[in-house]
Amino acid sequence: MLAPPPPRYFAHRGGGTLAPENTLAGIRLAARLGYRAVEFDVMLSGSGTPVLIHDETLERTTNGSGAVATTDDAALFALDAGGEPPPRFAQAVRLCGEFGLLANVEVKPASGFERQTAQRVAAEVRADWLASPLLFSSFSRTALQVLQAELPDLPRAWLLAALPDDWRAEARRLGVVALHLDLALVTPALVRECAGLGLAVRAYTLQTPALADYLFGIGVAGVFVDPLDRFLPQALADRSAIG
Ligand code: G3P
Ligand code: MG
């Protein structure tokens, strides 16, 4: 039997802007709308628990205040992140597993916690192996290196908002299978060069299907999209490609 094609449309920050970002409600919404893959951001609480949140501070997405990295679990899980507490990483992965969603786990350490964040995420994955297919990504080279050592068989992508001079050598050293690039960096020449190096390219963050069509036309493998409802026919086509 042929393996199904990998998902092309990734729901950005769980549900993105349609549901509160980085929540279980967002992941449920993505599944309900037909998406096969979700991206979410993972950081450590002050107690060292991996949780879904984007910012290093609580103000924008919860009713709390202060730094995520200094808020312990008792305080963090008492907060409202949009009708629910900030989800634990393990809960989100299990939910993705229930829906058959590919989870793109963006390891997003608070500054200074790069190593610990990747280590804790890896430890939770090892404790819950079969939960869901996983694709890791991170802007942090340290986090990617730790994941490579701790979970060598699970795929990793390097997130880049700018292309450093040493990106080719670093991508090889980090053993990543893909670059997840800011949309502004993506050119046909770069996508071709990446293909020659065995690297898939995915682009973040798209708001229009026309742009997705263009990117797929130049060989981009996947796109992070938001808001989700602008891409409903595309998400369904992605699903029907499973066969
Ligand atoms: O993983 C793609 C994208 O989520 C990276 O940017 O800031 O939305 O986490 P950000
Ligand atoms: Mg992200």
Side-chain angles (χ1 to χ4, degrees), residues 12-13 22 39-41 54 104 106 108 137 139 159 180-181 203-205 224:
H12 182 235
R13 298 188 193 176
N22 284 311
E39 181 263 4
F40 50 76
D41 307 297
H54 180 276
N104 174 201
E106 182 188 338
K108 206 180 218 14
S137 61
F139 287 103
L159 268 162
H180 288 183
L181 300 178
Y204 69 88
T205 304
F224 299 90

Side-chain angles (χ1 to χ4, degrees), residues 130-167:
L130 299 173
S132 175
L134 299 175
L135 166 64
F136 291 105
S137 61
S138 190
F139 287 103
S140 163
R141 299 184 196 199
T142 302
L144 289 170
Q145 213 174 336
V146 170
L147 291 167
Q148 181 181 26
E150 302 265 342
L151 298 168
D153 297 335
L154 295 190
R156 296 170 304 283
W158 188 11
L159 268 162
L160 290 166
L163 267 187
D165 289 342
D166 62 349
W167 70 267

Side-chain angles (χ1 to χ4, degrees), residues 162-192:
L163 267 187
D165 289 342
D166 62 349
W167 70 267
R168 298 169 188 82
E170 277 294 273
R172 193 166 50 246
R173 182 180 72 86
L174 296 167
V176 294
V177 298
L179 301 184
H180 288 183
L181 300 178
D182 184 297
L183 190 52
L185 298 177
V186 180
T187 63
L190 179 60
V191 176
R192 268 197 308 275

Side-chain angles (χ1 to χ4, degrees), residues 12-23:
H12 182 235
R13 298 188 193 176
T17 51
L18 274 192
E21 70 177 48
N22 284 311
T23 59

